[in-house]
Every structure is written in structure tokens, then in C-alpha cells.
Amino acid sequence: MEPQNLEEHYVESLSYTDQKLHVKNFVWSADEWPEIKHDDFTDGDDIPVISLGGIDRDDQKSAVYNRVCQSMVEAGQKWGFFKLVDHGVAPEIVEDISVCLNKFFDLQMEQKMNGGRTERLPLGYSASNIDYGHNLPWAEILQLLQSPQQVLEFSKRVYGDQYQALSNAMIRYMKALDELGIIIMEMLAHGLGLATDFFTRYMDEKEATIIRANRYPPCPLPDRCLGLGSHSDPHTLTILLQDEVGGLQVRNNENEWLGIRPLPNSFIVNIGDTLEAWTNGRLKSVVHRAVVNEERNRLSVAYFISPKSSAVIETPPELMDSGPTPTKYKPFTWGEFRKELLKKKRVVGKTALHRYLINP
Ligand SMILES: O=C(O)CCC(=O)C(=O)O
Ligand SMILES: [Fe+2]
């Protein structure tokens, strides 16, 4: 069918009961149209795979611990991304959250809207992001704080007294990912020659850690729409779960888009803007996006890890450069950066950190 005809199709999966949307409402500006498809992968050209098999956190002098820390830092420098296997999160925890989130997204819109995002609380469920006006994401989104209380409240609003399956799955998953996040942050610090607790000493409170589930419905016009446009993650570290469908693409050092092949039982780990600044640009926060496909729903779950709001993001002496400008960024607190982010509707590409650059 011609794109013009497809554009007239009604998009039930992303329409609210009082707001009917058609494919044409989701067509992006032509310069953003993806040239590679959700399942275009290049053999031998993908982000590194790192295994935590045999890692003992309490034996930081061991050769294997040091080798894996080094490979994490190298991946963070070169790609900003890696796949993590043998990560120690129980398969049933991952299975459970995937099943519960897919069931949630399968509900009728009216029921999902009981947990809808409101002006007061910019979290909860939303179909796309209508307030962007144009370049609308082809995605349903559920965002919640790492707060068992908020998760329970949300589950009860959607499911009434049947709330426990979703809230239990989410609370368990968040706890497991907090633990994994600490291990990774310790290993990155160690690999950079910093005290192992250099980052994690600010991470005992989880007030600003967020879970975001994205479900991308089948799209009749995937070469003109995007699930999520090109962006970098503003937080410190992202641990992303993606199903087997494919759609995550990362921009490499040659500015080309690269499809990330789904790998069973793995997570994708990527460096956020805050960690790039904290490490004086040693670790890179890299632009990525999600493309959609004609046939299948795709689920991804991003866990955005952050320090507490009062943490000062400031380059440690070990990572300063020689020469007249030893640091690239002015110090800032995560809380201040986060407040700025919340004011913006959308951050395109990699622009959020620029105002802290010493030499813009
Ligand atoms: O769906 C994906 O693979 C990417 C999700 C993502 O980048 C995000 O939620 O920030
Ligand atoms: Fe992202």
C-alpha cells in the first residue's frame, strides 16, 4: 500500500478514548527516518559482550575482577554501551516482569488510564507523548520511581484488589537491578582507578532512580515513524532489558546507526550523561534510538540509576586532564540537573549537559 494510504489508518493502540490518532500524526520529519530496519544487524559489528561469571565483589585483587573491570571501562570509552551476561539476576525475576508488563500493556486503554500520567505526577502510563506536538513516539510508556509505595499505588489504581502480580514483579525486579547497578558502578570505579565506592557512596538512597517500560505496538509505516527518537540518557547508568524482537540502534564513532542484536538472558548497559560528566568524558553517553516494526509488539524496560539529589557531580583528581583546562564540566548536583530536565518536554540528541561545559 502507498504510504499516503497507510497514513490515514486509525491507530487504536495509541489513541485515548477522547483523542483519535492516525498514522499521519506519528510520521517524523524526513531527516529522522530510519534507514536500517529493526532486524538489520551486521555480523561482527556490535557492542561488546561482558560476562560477570566468576566475579567475586569481595576479591577485588583477583585477576578476573580486574580484567572484567578493564573491559567495562573500555566498552564505556569506545561505545558507551555493552551487553551483560551471567549477570546473576534470576531468570524468573526477568520473566515475571516481562509477562506482567506485557499483560498491563495488553489491557484496554480505559483501564490503563486509571494509572495515567497526570499534570501533578509526570509519571505513570501514557500512550505516546502527545504534548510533543510532532515527532510523536510510536510507543506506550510506563514510568515509575524506584519507590515501592508508588508502585503499589499505581498497581492498585489499575488493578484494584488484583494489584499484587504487577507490584510484586516490579518491586522484586527493581531490587535485583539496584544490586546489579551497585556491582557495575563499583567495577567501573575500580576500572577507572578510583576508590571502588567512589560512585556508590552516593547511591544508598534511590529517590531519583526510575523504571521506564516501553512497549512499541506493530506499526504500518516503520520507515517513517520511530519508537523513541535519538537521545542520550541523562541519568548515571541505564540497565536495559529488551525482548527478542530487535529495534535498539546505537550511533557509533563513525556516526552510523548500528542495530543491537538481542541476546537471550542479557541486559544492555549504557553510560548516562551524568556519568560522562562525572568521569570528565572518559566514559561516553552515546546517542541511541528505538525503531519499530510492522509485525510484532516489542517490550523494553529501562532502569535509570541515579545518585541522591545532593550528590555533587565533580571530576575527581585522578581523572583530570593535564593542561589549562583539567575538567570539561563545571560541578553540578544531580538534583539541579534533574530539575532542569523536568522543565524540558523533550531532549533531542545529546544536549542536556551542554550548559555545564567549561568550553562550550
Ligand atoms: O527500546 C529501546 O531499546 C530503547 C529504550 C531507551 O533508550 C530508553 O527508554 O531510554
Ligand atoms: Fe535511552
Side-chain angles (χ1 to χ4, degrees):
M1 206 185 290
E2 290 296 309
Q4 286 80 345
N5 298 334
L6 287 169
E7 287 189 12
E8 297 307 321
H9 281 206
Y10 169 51
V11 186
E12 191 184 353
S13 54
L14 298 173
S15 288
Y16 296 116
T17 20
D18 58 349
Q19 189 167 28
K20 306 267 178 256
L21 295 172
H22 296 83
V23 172
K24 61 177 175 230
N25 300 114
F26 292 91
V27 170
W28 281 57
S29 334
D31 56 344
E32 304 266 2
W33 292 352
E35 274 153 22
I36 58 171
K37 291 178 27 180
H38 74 289
D39 56 355
D40 280 342
F41 308 114
T42 319
D43 275 333
D45 197 10
D46 203 333
I47 56 177
V49 179
I50 294 179
S51 164
L52 289 188
I55 291 294
D56 177 0
R57 268 175 90 191
D58 297 327
D59 188 7
Q60 292 169 4
K61 293 209 166 62
S62 76
V64 53
Y65 189 82
N66 281 281
R67 184 169 43 74
V68 179
C69 291
Q70 267 322 306
S71 48
M72 266 189 201
V73 168
E74 278 162 27
Q77 284 171 329
K78 180 159 181 233
W79 293 93
F81 272 81
F82 55 89
K83 295 180 197 176
L84 192 68
V85 295
D86 309 312
H87 44 67
V89 177
E92 56 276 15
I93 293 183
V94 174
E95 173 68 13
D96 211 22
I97 185 121
S98 309
V99 168
C100 288
L101 286 170
N102 271 319
K103 276 192 189 153
F104 165 75
F105 286 117
D106 286 340
L107 296 174
Q108 293 295 320
M109 186 58 81
E110 268 184 338
Q111 190 175 350
K112 286 183 275 198
M113 282 311 289
N114 291 334
R117 198 174 65 177
T118 60
E119 279 294 316
R120 194 179 53 82
L121 190 73
L123 297 166
Y125 170 79
S126 67
S128 192
N129 261 322
I130 309 293
D131 49 347
Y132 287 179
H134 72 298
N135 287 352
L136 300 186
W138 187 278
E140 294 183 88
I141 299 149
L142 169 60
Q143 290 200 88
L144 292 170
L145 286 179
Q146 198 292 17
S147 148
Q149 196 193 335
Q150 193 180 80
V151 170
L152 278 169
E153 207 183 298
F154 171 83
S155 287
K156 285 181 183 167
R157 273 199 274 155
V158 175
Y159 287 108
D161 56 8
Q162 303 296 309
Y163 66 93
Q164 279 188 1
L166 180 63
S167 57
N168 285 349
M170 284 188 99
I171 291 168
R172 250 186 356 150
Y173 184 78
M174 295 194 301
K175 188 162 176 285
L177 287 224
D178 283 336
E179 284 165 18
L180 180 59
I182 295 289
I183 294 173
I184 300 168
M185 292 306 300
E186 283 181 353
M187 293 183 78
L188 287 170
H190 189 80
L192 287 163
L194 303 171
T196 305
D197 71 346
F198 179 78
F199 303 113
T200 53
R201 63 182 103 159
Y202 304 103
M203 295 185 157
D204 42 346
E205 291 160 43
K206 313 289 180 197
E207 52 174 316
T209 289
I210 285 184
I211 191 165
R212 173 185 166 123
N214 306 296
R215 202 173 64 171
Y216 310 97
C219 174
L221 204 51
D223 43 4
R224 297 194 179 184
C225 298
L226 280 172
L228 264 187
S230 107
H231 69 282
S232 64
D233 295 340
H235 302 77
T236 296
L237 190 80
T238 307
I239 306 180
L240 182 83
L241 172 68
Q242 64 161 341
D243 65 15
E244 72 291 359
V245 175
L248 173 64
Q249 298 182 342
V250 171
R251 207 154 72 194
N252 69 13
N253 289 326
E254 282 78 51
N255 262 339
E256 297 154 344
W257 287 105
L258 181 77
I260 305 302
R261 191 192 289 276
L263 178 66
N265 306 318
S266 73
F267 290 109
I268 309 260
V269 177
N270 65 290
I271 308 298
D273 293 343
T274 304
L275 191 53
E276 174 167 332
W278 220 343
T279 61
N280 205 19
R282 296 286 199 290
L283 303 179
K284 298 273 183 315
S285 168
V286 168
V287 169
H288 53 285
R289 69 181 180 194
V291 303
V292 290
N293 76 88
E294 268 170 279
E295 271 125 42
R296 298 175 66 185
N297 279 309
R298 170 171 181 260
L299 179 75
S300 73
V301 187
Y303 198 61
F304 299 117
I305 295 179
S306 297
K308 60 182 164 203
S309 296
S310 61
V312 179
I313 309 304
E314 184 172 28
T315 298
E318 293 91 328
L319 300 182
M320 286 186 186
D321 299 323
S322 51
T325 36
T327 61
K328 297 188 176 60
Y329 297 92
K330 298 172 212 155
F332 59 92
T333 63
W334 160 246
E336 161 193 339
F337 182 37
R338 183 172 175 231
K339 221 186 284 162
E340 281 300 314
L341 286 171
L342 290 173
K343 276 194 218 154
K344 291 215 162 68
K345 273 197 191 152
R346 102 184 313 168
V347 183
V348 179
K350 216 185 122 181
T351 49
L353 262 192
H354 285 184
R355 75 180 154 281
Y356 300 116
L357 273 175
I358 288 175
N359 290 318

